[in-house]
């Protein structure tokens, strides 16, 4: 499931699809709220995200494919750091989530949804390290929040960002009820 969401998100980012998934979408200008992009962006607010994470997002794009809604936030003039939010409807419970969706080796997160995890990933080609928080929301949604940092960013910066991302996830979880 995680690979499907990641592949879908990458495809949507590369194709620049709008909510219908069929036509190019322009990034939301910095004067418009992230929610104006629709989709999962309706759960995000630039000032709140920027304050929580200490980053400067100003562009948003959303897409929908079947039962998955995504949102990508980026700085106005750079591709990274990006923030990707995906939300998918599900019928699974916490036990299946923990065994089938949660990545092996991820650390549990208390106080977030019915089941939740956090993890840090090393730098990949073209990016720096990434941090991720995923959870099964009480309203039967699988939600994943990921930040990819720019190439050359040290692992220590990702380690500092992870608890901030967990705090943002807890705010998103409350807004998705």
């Amino acid at each position: 499931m995680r690979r499907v969401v990641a592949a879908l998100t990458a495809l949507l980012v590369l194709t620049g699809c709008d909510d219908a998934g069929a036509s190019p979408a322009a990034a939301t200008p910095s004067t418009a709220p992230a929610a104006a992009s629709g989709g999962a962006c309706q759960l995000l607010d630039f000032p709140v995200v920027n304050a929580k994470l200490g980053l400067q997002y100003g562009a948003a794009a959303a897409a929908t494919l079947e039962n998955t809604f995504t949102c990508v936030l980026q700085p106005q003039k750079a591709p990274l750091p990006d923030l990707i939010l995906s939300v998918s409807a599900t019928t699974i419970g916490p036990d299946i989530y923990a065994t089938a969706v949660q990545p092996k080796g991820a650390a549990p997160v208390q106080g977030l949804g019915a089941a939740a995890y956090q993890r840090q990933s090393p730098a990949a080609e073209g990016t720096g390290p990434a941090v991720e928080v995923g959870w099964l929301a009480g309203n039967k949604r699988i939600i994943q929040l990921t930040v990819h940092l720019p190439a050359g960013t040290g692992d220590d910066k990702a380690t500092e960002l992870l608890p901030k991302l967990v705090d943002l996830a807890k705010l998103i979880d409350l807004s998705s009820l």
Side-chain angles (χ1 to χ4, degrees):
M1 175 69 183
R2 189 173 73 59
R3 287 184 187 157
V4 171
V5 170
L8 173 65
T9 302
L11 176 64
L12 295 172
V13 170
L14 291 174
T15 60
C17 293
D18 66 7
D19 285 337
S23 61
T28 303
S30 62
T31 58
S37 294
C41 291
Q42 295 176 62
L43 298 173
L44 300 174
D45 179 65
F46 288 128
V48 171
V49 172
N50 291 340
K52 281 286 181 192
L53 302 182
L55 300 171
Q56 292 301 313
Y57 294 114
T64 301
L65 182 62
E66 296 179 13
N67 72 341
T68 299
F69 301 85
T70 60
C71 178
V72 177
L73 299 186
Q74 294 180 319
Q76 281 291 335
K77 297 182 181 187
L80 295 174
D82 65 9
L83 179 140
I84 302 169
L85 171 66
S86 65
V87 181
S88 299
T90 188
T91 58
I92 66 170
D95 292 343
I96 293 174
Y97 179 85
T99 59
V101 177
Q102 181 173 314
K104 300 290 184 223
V109 174
Q110 300 300 316
L112 177 60
Y117 71 88
Q118 63 180 341
R119 73 177 184 154
Q120 182 172 327
S121 300
E125 187 175 328
T127 71
V131 290
E132 174 182 314
V133 177
W135 69 99
L136 176 63
N139 63 356
K140 291 293 194 173
R141 302 285 186 263
I142 295 174
I143 304 176
Q144 184 175 332
L145 191 58
T146 306
V147 173
H148 298 99
L149 296 167
T153 302
D155 287 339
D156 59 326
K157 295 295 181 190
T159 301
E160 291 172 14
L161 184 60
L162 192 53
K164 296 175 184 179
L165 193 64
V166 168
D167 287 343
L168 179 61
K170 289 178 180 180
L171 284 178
I172 292 169
D173 190 51
L174 293 175
S175 70
S176 67
L177 296 176

